[in-house]
Amino acid sequence: MKPAISVSREDYLKAILEAASEGQTVISATLAHWLAVSPPAVSMALRRLTRDGYVEVKADGVVKLTPKGHEAAYRTALRHHLIERMLSEIFGMPWYEVHDEAERLEHAVSPAFEALLSRKLGEKGSCPHGNAVLPESPETRRRRGVRPLAEAPEGAAYTVTSLYERDPGLLRFLHRTGIEPGGTVRVLACNYDKTLAIETSAGRFTIGPAAAEKVQVRRSSDGRKRRQ
Ligand SMILES: [Zn+2]
């Protein structure tokens, strides 16, 4: 668990915006989980954010961003996105390392440098994990034919479209098993215990549901005829 001091106002606002755009109902416990901080630390932070006009906490405990809070949250998410792309596209940093570096640097970017990055990279592209500035809800992904690897039927090959990026341990694990954005995963068997036997460019592996739920895939070329 991180000490509360390292979690800034921007981190809270960004977590609220990202959780909401993923379709989650944001309550205090959501934030404690996302930011790996204690419930009392979240309560204290929410009191401060409410006082300063960034959030509203409804009677049922649901946390909503005010327009001012939304603006600050989006700017932080955009900086994170641009820095990840800069590290990867300009400096060649591996995709499984850029998230943590961007978490540190996003707080240090001046508006002038942000404008430069934005002009060079644009706001529309995907980060090295395959994600846009804000995460999509599972429903939006499904409409594009994208679903979690955990739900992919066996016997087919899939292209990895994006990865859940807020867990560095998960990213290193996926890297070791050859699961990476744009890579191919063949599901050999869906086992009774919800583990999957898979084949990637790195070999054959068994992965559990906790990881398979955080990898988004679509049927690859051999399933192209099924595209609508
Ligand atoms: Zn990313």
Side-chain angles (χ1 to χ4, degrees):
M1 194 167 275
K2 287 187 224 165
I5 194 91
S6 74
V7 179
S8 69
R9 180 176 74 200
E10 283 81 19
D11 291 322
Y12 275 100
L13 296 174
K14 184 165 67 119
I16 295 166
L17 180 60
E18 289 183 347
S21 65
E22 257 189 19
Q24 297 199 34
T25 305
V26 185
I27 55 170
S28 184
T30 323
L31 295 171
H33 175 71
W34 271 52
L35 295 164
V37 292
S38 69
V42 175
S43 307
M44 213 191 332
L46 286 178
R47 272 200 297 277
R48 231 177 282 138
L49 291 169
T50 306
R51 183 197 65 199
D52 297 341
Y54 291 98
V55 305
E56 281 169 16
V57 183
K58 306 282 180 194
D60 55 3
V62 173
V63 182
K64 296 260 189 233
L65 292 169
T66 62
K68 174 181 166 183
H70 188 278
E71 162 74 15
Y74 183 79
R75 291 296 290 278
T76 310
L78 176 61
R79 282 182 192 156
H80 180 91
H81 177 88
L82 291 171
I83 291 167
E84 280 195 345
R85 290 188 54 201
M86 171 189 80
L87 292 170
S88 163
E89 294 173 30
I90 301 176
F91 297 108
M93 187 182 253
W95 61 266
Y96 48 89
E97 286 177 5
V98 296
H99 180 81
D100 272 12
E101 199 64 44
E103 281 293 304
R104 284 190 286 272
L105 290 174
E106 71 195 26
H107 304 293
V109 173
S110 70
F113 188 46
E114 182 190 321
L116 276 179
L117 285 175
S118 193
R119 206 175 323 140
K120 184 153 183 78
L121 302 167
E123 291 184 27
K124 291 278 186 281
S126 301
C127 79
H129 310 101
N131 297 312
V133 175
L134 293 178
E136 289 178 315
S137 69
E139 294 71 39
T140 313
R141 279 196 214 109
R142 262 178 242 282
R143 261 182 261 128
R144 294 195 298 115
V146 172
R147 62 173 128 192
L149 179 60
E151 296 172 17
E154 64 185 21
Y158 300 89
T159 302
V160 177
T161 58
S162 66
L163 307 172
Y164 175 88
E165 64 182 76
R166 281 176 296 279
D167 181 346
L170 171 76
L171 295 178
R172 282 191 295 272
F173 169 77
L174 294 176
H175 170 59
R176 281 202 302 277
T177 58
I179 294 177
E180 60 185 357
T184 301
V185 181
R186 185 170 288 280
V187 178
L188 304 173
C190 303
N191 300 315
Y192 181 78
D193 63 357
K194 294 199 160 61
T195 58
L196 299 178
I198 59 163
E199 185 170 42
T200 69
S201 60
R204 291 190 171 194
F205 301 90
T206 300
I207 71 165
E213 273 154 22
K214 296 193 162 87
V215 176
Q216 303 297 325
V217 298
R218 71 161 80 242
R219 276 289 281 261
S220 44
S221 50
D222 57 4
R224 195 184 297 159
K225 56 184 176 294
R226 297 178 65 247
R227 274 182 67 178
Q228 59 287 63

